[in-house]
Amino acid sequence: MHKIVFVTGNKGKFAEVRDILKAFGIEVIQNKDGYPELQEDELEPIAAYGAQYVANNLIMPVMVDDSGIFIRALNGFPGPYSRFVEDKLGNPKVLKLMEDEEDRTAYFKTVIGYCEPGEEPLVFPGVVEGKIAYEERGSGGFGYDPIFEYQGMTFGELGDAEKNKVSHRRRAIDKFLEWFESKT
Ligand code: ITT
C-alpha cells in the first residue's frame, strides 16, 4: 500500500483526504509540523512553496493542501485569507457582509501541492462553483461548509461522503491521482 505524508493542522481536511485516497489504496499520514504560508493572491504559489519547504525539511515526499472560498460580490474575498477570516469573523459575519448582495455566486478552490526532496513542487488545483446561502445550514463538514450551497444544498447538509464526490478537494485529488498513478 502506498503511503503519503499530508502536512496539515486542519482535522477536516485530513479526514477528507484520508477518506478519498483510501478508496484508491493510498494510506495518508498526517503531519502537523506546518510550513510558512506566503502572502499571495493565488493559492498555487502558497501550496508549491509549502510542499517544497516541508519535503526538503523532512527529506521525504509530502502533500499539502491550500484552500479558500472566493466570493464574487466581495471581489474574491476571503480567498487566500480564508483561514484568517474564519478565525476572526466566522460564518455569521461573512453572511452579514453578504446581506445586501444579490450576486451570491462563489467558488471553493483547493490546490494540492506535492513535492519530493530536491525536486520542483507540483500543484493540482480543483474548483467547485456554488452560492453563498442566506443562513448557516447543516452540521456536516467544517469551516465554510454550512454557508456554501452546491446545487441547492449546503456542503454542511450534504454529508461527508457526498461532499467528497463533488468537492473542490476531490477534484484537486483526482488530478493528483492521475499524475501519481501514471508515475507509479
Ligand atoms: P493547514 O494550512 O494546516 O492545512 P488551514 O485550515 O490553515 O490548515 P488553509 O490555509 O488552506 O488551511 O485555510 C483554508 C480555510 O478555508 C480554513 O479556514 C478552512 O477551514 C477553510 N476550508 C478549507 N477547505 C474547506 C472546505 O472543504 N469546506 C469548508 N471550509 C474549508
Side-chain angles (χ1 to χ4, degrees), residues 1-18:
M1 195 182 206
H2 281 295
K3 289 186 185 174
I4 289 183
V5 174
F6 178 30
V7 185
T8 181
N10 185 313
K11 273 195 297 191
K13 279 187 189 178
F14 171 67
E16 289 183 9
V17 171
R18 180 198 57 205

PDB file of all heavy atoms in Angstrom, residues 1-18:
ATOM      1  N   MET A   1       0.842  -1.205   0.000  1.00  0.00           N
ATOM      2  CA  MET A   1       0.000   0.000   0.000  1.00  0.00           C
ATOM      3  C   MET A   1       0.880   1.259   0.000  1.00  0.00           C
ATOM      4  O   MET A   1       1.794   1.371   0.819  1.00  0.00           O
ATOM      5  CB  MET A   1      -0.880  -0.016   1.247  1.00  0.00           C
ATOM      6  CG  MET A   1      -2.035   0.954   1.200  1.00  0.00           C
ATOM      7  SD  MET A   1      -3.000   0.921   2.739  1.00  0.00           S
ATOM      8  CE  MET A   1      -4.590   1.469   2.173  1.00  0.00           C
ATOM      9  N   HIS A   2       0.578   2.210  -0.898  1.00  0.00           N
ATOM     10  CA  HIS A   2       1.309   3.475  -0.893  1.00  0.00           C
ATOM     11  C   HIS A   2       0.974   4.280   0.341  1.00  0.00           C
ATOM     12  O   HIS A   2      -0.166   4.251   0.817  1.00  0.00           O
ATOM     13  CB  HIS A   2       0.916   4.312  -2.115  1.00  0.00           C
ATOM     14  CG  HIS A   2       1.585   3.881  -3.362  1.00  0.00           C
ATOM     15  ND1 HIS A   2       2.940   3.975  -3.540  1.00  0.00           N
ATOM     16  CD2 HIS A   2       1.086   3.348  -4.492  1.00  0.00           C
ATOM     17  CE1 HIS A   2       3.250   3.510  -4.734  1.00  0.00           C
ATOM     18  NE2 HIS A   2       2.147   3.119  -5.329  1.00  0.00           N
ATOM     19  N   LYS A   3       1.964   5.039   0.842  1.00  0.00           N
ATOM     20  CA  LYS A   3       1.715   5.940   1.973  1.00  0.00           C
ATOM     21  C   LYS A   3       2.089   7.349   1.532  1.00  0.00           C
ATOM     22  O   LYS A   3       3.106   7.528   0.852  1.00  0.00           O
ATOM     23  CB  LYS A   3       2.601   5.550   3.162  1.00  0.00           C
ATOM     24  CG  LYS A   3       2.166   4.263   3.811  1.00  0.00           C
ATOM     25  CD  LYS A   3       2.949   3.982   5.067  1.00  0.00           C
ATOM     26  CE  LYS A   3       2.495   2.604   5.548  1.00  0.00           C
ATOM     27  NZ  LYS A   3       3.193   2.088   6.642  1.00  0.00           N
ATOM     28  N   ILE A   4       1.261   8.323   1.932  1.00  0.00           N
ATOM     29  CA  ILE A   4       1.572   9.721   1.620  1.00  0.00           C
ATOM     30  C   ILE A   4       1.498  10.527   2.905  1.00  0.00           C
ATOM     31  O   ILE A   4       0.539  10.390   3.680  1.00  0.00           O
ATOM     32  CB  ILE A   4       0.591  10.285   0.565  1.00  0.00           C
ATOM     33  CG1 ILE A   4       0.876   9.654  -0.795  1.00  0.00           C
ATOM     34  CG2 ILE A   4       0.694  11.803   0.478  1.00  0.00           C
ATOM     35  CD1 ILE A   4       0.019  10.178  -1.926  1.00  0.00           C
ATOM     36  N   VAL A   5       2.524  11.361   3.125  1.00  0.00           N
ATOM     37  CA  VAL A   5       2.511  12.244   4.292  1.00  0.00           C
ATOM     38  C   VAL A   5       1.822  13.547   3.887  1.00  0.00           C
ATOM     39  O   VAL A   5       2.209  14.199   2.912  1.00  0.00           O
ATOM     40  CB  VAL A   5       3.958  12.517   4.776  1.00  0.00           C
ATOM     41  CG1 VAL A   5       3.973  13.554   5.892  1.00  0.00           C
ATOM     42  CG2 VAL A   5       4.595  11.216   5.255  1.00  0.00           C
ATOM     43  N   PHE A   6       0.771  13.887   4.627  1.00  0.00           N
ATOM     44  CA  PHE A   6      -0.041  15.074   4.328  1.00  0.00           C
ATOM     45  C   PHE A   6       0.178  16.072   5.470  1.00  0.00           C
ATOM     46  O   PHE A   6      -0.162  15.786   6.620  1.00  0.00           O
ATOM     47  CB  PHE A   6      -1.505  14.636   4.230  1.00  0.00           C
ATOM     48  CG  PHE A   6      -2.495  15.740   3.969  1.00  0.00           C
ATOM     49  CD1 PHE A   6      -2.158  16.880   3.248  1.00  0.00           C
ATOM     50  CD2 PHE A   6      -3.805  15.632   4.426  1.00  0.00           C
ATOM     51  CE1 PHE A   6      -3.090  17.879   3.006  1.00  0.00           C
ATOM     52  CE2 PHE A   6      -4.750  16.628   4.189  1.00  0.00           C
ATOM     53  CZ  PHE A   6      -4.387  17.756   3.479  1.00  0.00           C
ATOM     54  N   VAL A   7       0.742  17.222   5.125  1.00  0.00           N
ATOM     55  CA  VAL A   7       1.084  18.210   6.151  1.00  0.00           C
ATOM     56  C   VAL A   7      -0.074  19.187   6.311  1.00  0.00           C
ATOM     57  O   VAL A   7      -0.320  20.021   5.436  1.00  0.00           O
ATOM     58  CB  VAL A   7       2.368  18.975   5.767  1.00  0.00           C
ATOM     59  CG1 VAL A   7       2.785  19.912   6.899  1.00  0.00           C
ATOM     60  CG2 VAL A   7       3.493  18.000   5.453  1.00  0.00           C
ATOM     61  N   THR A   8      -0.789  19.062   7.402  1.00  0.00           N
ATOM     62  CA  THR A   8      -1.908  19.960   7.689  1.00  0.00           C
ATOM     63  C   THR A   8      -2.246  19.905   9.176  1.00  0.00           C
ATOM     64  O   THR A   8      -2.121  18.860   9.805  1.00  0.00           O
ATOM     65  CB  THR A   8      -3.167  19.597   6.864  1.00  0.00           C
ATOM     66  OG1 THR A   8      -4.203  20.538   7.176  1.00  0.00           O
ATOM     67  CG2 THR A   8      -3.687  18.201   7.152  1.00  0.00           C
ATOM     68  N   GLY A   9      -2.689  21.053   9.678  1.00  0.00           N
ATOM     69  CA  GLY A   9      -3.165  21.087  11.056  1.00  0.00           C
ATOM     70  C   GLY A   9      -4.685  21.025  11.101  1.00  0.00           C
ATOM     71  O   GLY A   9      -5.284  21.073  12.167  1.00  0.00           O
ATOM     72  N   ASN A  10      -5.319  20.922   9.907  1.00  0.00           N
ATOM     73  CA  ASN A  10      -6.773  21.009   9.811  1.00  0.00           C
ATOM     74  C   ASN A  10      -7.385  19.590   9.781  1.00  0.00           C
ATOM     75  O   ASN A  10      -7.217  18.853   8.822  1.00  0.00           O
ATOM     76  CB  ASN A  10      -7.123  21.793   8.531  1.00  0.00           C
ATOM     77  CG  ASN A  10      -8.600  22.048   8.392  1.00  0.00           C
ATOM     78  OD1 ASN A  10      -9.410  21.155   8.563  1.00  0.00           O
ATOM     79  ND2 ASN A  10      -8.957  23.278   8.061  1.00  0.00           N
ATOM     80  N   LYS A  11      -8.108  19.274  10.863  1.00  0.00           N
ATOM     81  CA  LYS A  11      -8.684  17.923  11.021  1.00  0.00           C
ATOM     82  C   LYS A  11      -9.656  17.572   9.900  1.00  0.00           C
ATOM     83  O   LYS A  11      -9.724  16.444   9.439  1.00  0.00           O
ATOM     84  CB  LYS A  11      -9.490  17.852  12.339  1.00  0.00           C
ATOM     85  CG  LYS A  11      -8.672  17.499  13.555  1.00  0.00           C
ATOM     86  CD  LYS A  11      -9.578  17.092  14.714  1.00  0.00           C
ATOM     87  CE  LYS A  11     -10.472  18.245  15.140  1.00  0.00           C
ATOM     88  NZ  LYS A  11     -11.201  18.079  16.377  1.00  0.00           N
ATOM     89  N   GLY A  12     -10.456  18.575   9.496  1.00  0.00           N
ATOM     90  CA  GLY A  12     -11.474  18.354   8.464  1.00  0.00           C
ATOM     91  C   GLY A  12     -10.832  17.995   7.131  1.00  0.00           C
ATOM     92  O   GLY A  12     -11.254  17.052   6.460  1.00  0.00           O
ATOM     93  N   LYS A  13      -9.812  18.758   6.760  1.00  0.00           N
ATOM     94  CA  LYS A  13      -9.088  18.471   5.510  1.00  0.00           C
ATOM     95  C   LYS A  13      -8.482  17.082   5.569  1.00  0.00           C
ATOM     96  O   LYS A  13      -8.561  16.316   4.606  1.00  0.00           O
ATOM     97  CB  LYS A  13      -7.902  19.434   5.352  1.00  0.00           C
ATOM     98  CG  LYS A  13      -8.183  20.781   4.841  1.00  0.00           C
ATOM     99  CD  LYS A  13      -6.806  21.444   4.631  1.00  0.00           C
ATOM    100  CE  LYS A  13      -6.920  22.887   4.311  1.00  0.00           C
ATOM    101  NZ  LYS A  13      -5.597  23.520   4.161  1.00  0.00           N
ATOM    102  N   PHE A  14      -7.845  16.778   6.680  1.00  0.00           N
ATOM    103  CA  PHE A  14      -7.165  15.482   6.796  1.00  0.00           C
ATOM    104  C   PHE A  14      -8.167  14.342   6.606  1.00  0.00           C
ATOM    105  O   PHE A  14      -7.917  13.402   5.847  1.00  0.00           O
ATOM    106  CB  PHE A  14      -6.436  15.349   8.138  1.00  0.00           C
ATOM    107  CG  PHE A  14      -5.916  13.960   8.366  1.00  0.00           C
ATOM    108  CD1 PHE A  14      -4.898  13.456   7.572  1.00  0.00           C
ATOM    109  CD2 PHE A  14      -6.467  13.136   9.336  1.00  0.00           C
ATOM    110  CE1 PHE A  14      -4.429  12.154   7.739  1.00  0.00           C
ATOM    111  CE2 PHE A  14      -6.016  11.836   9.504  1.00  0.00           C
ATOM    112  CZ  PHE A  14      -4.996  11.346   8.705  1.00  0.00           C
ATOM    113  N   ALA A  15      -9.307  14.428   7.309  1.00  0.00           N
ATOM    114  CA  ALA A  15     -10.302  13.352   7.229  1.00  0.00           C
ATOM    115  C   ALA A  15     -10.778  13.170   5.784  1.00  0.00           C
ATOM    116  O   ALA A  15     -10.925  12.034   5.302  1.00  0.00           O
ATOM    117  CB  ALA A  15     -11.475  13.660   8.151  1.00  0.00           C
ATOM    118  N   GLU A  16     -10.999  14.282   5.080  1.00  0.00           N
ATOM    119  CA  GLU A  16     -11.482  14.166   3.690  1.00  0.00           C
ATOM    120  C   GLU A  16     -10.436  13.527   2.783  1.00  0.00           C
ATOM    121  O   GLU A  16     -10.740  12.618   2.004  1.00  0.00           O
ATOM    122  CB  GLU A  16     -11.885  15.546   3.161  1.00  0.00           C
ATOM    123  CG  GLU A  16     -13.160  16.060   3.812  1.00  0.00           C
ATOM    124  CD  GLU A  16     -13.619  17.395   3.251  1.00  0.00           C
ATOM    125  OE1 GLU A  16     -13.067  17.877   2.242  1.00  0.00           O
ATOM    126  OE2 GLU A  16     -14.539  17.969   3.830  1.00  0.00           O
ATOM    127  N   VAL A  17      -9.194  14.002   2.890  1.00  0.00           N
ATOM    128  CA  VAL A  17      -8.141  13.474   2.008  1.00  0.00           C
ATOM    129  C   VAL A  17      -7.892  11.996   2.331  1.00  0.00           C
ATOM    130  O   VAL A  17      -7.745  11.170   1.428  1.00  0.00           O
ATOM    131  CB  VAL A  17      -6.850  14.325   2.143  1.00  0.00           C
ATOM    132  CG1 VAL A  17      -5.684  13.674   1.418  1.00  0.00           C
ATOM    133  CG2 VAL A  17      -7.095  15.727   1.603  1.00  0.00           C
ATOM    134  N   ARG A  18      -7.907  11.658   3.622  1.00  0.00           N
ATOM    135  CA  ARG A  18      -7.726  10.252   4.032  1.00  0.00           C
ATOM    136  C   ARG A  18      -8.824   9.369   3.425  1.00  0.00           C
ATOM    137  O   ARG A  18      -8.539   8.329   2.842  1.00  0.00           O
ATOM    138  CB  ARG A  18      -7.774  10.174   5.566  1.00  0.00           C
ATOM    139  CG  ARG A  18      -7.601   8.754   6.127  1.00  0.00           C
ATOM    140  CD  ARG A  18      -8.074   8.672   7.555  1.00  0.00           C
ATOM    141  NE  ARG A  18      -9.468   9.105   7.652  1.00  0.00           N
ATOM    142  CZ  ARG A  18     -10.035   9.591   8.755  1.00  0.00           C
ATOM    143  NH1 ARG A  18      -9.338   9.728   9.864  1.00  0.00           N
ATOM    144  NH2 ARG A  18     -11.305   9.958   8.755  1.00  0.00           N
TER     145      ARG A  18
END
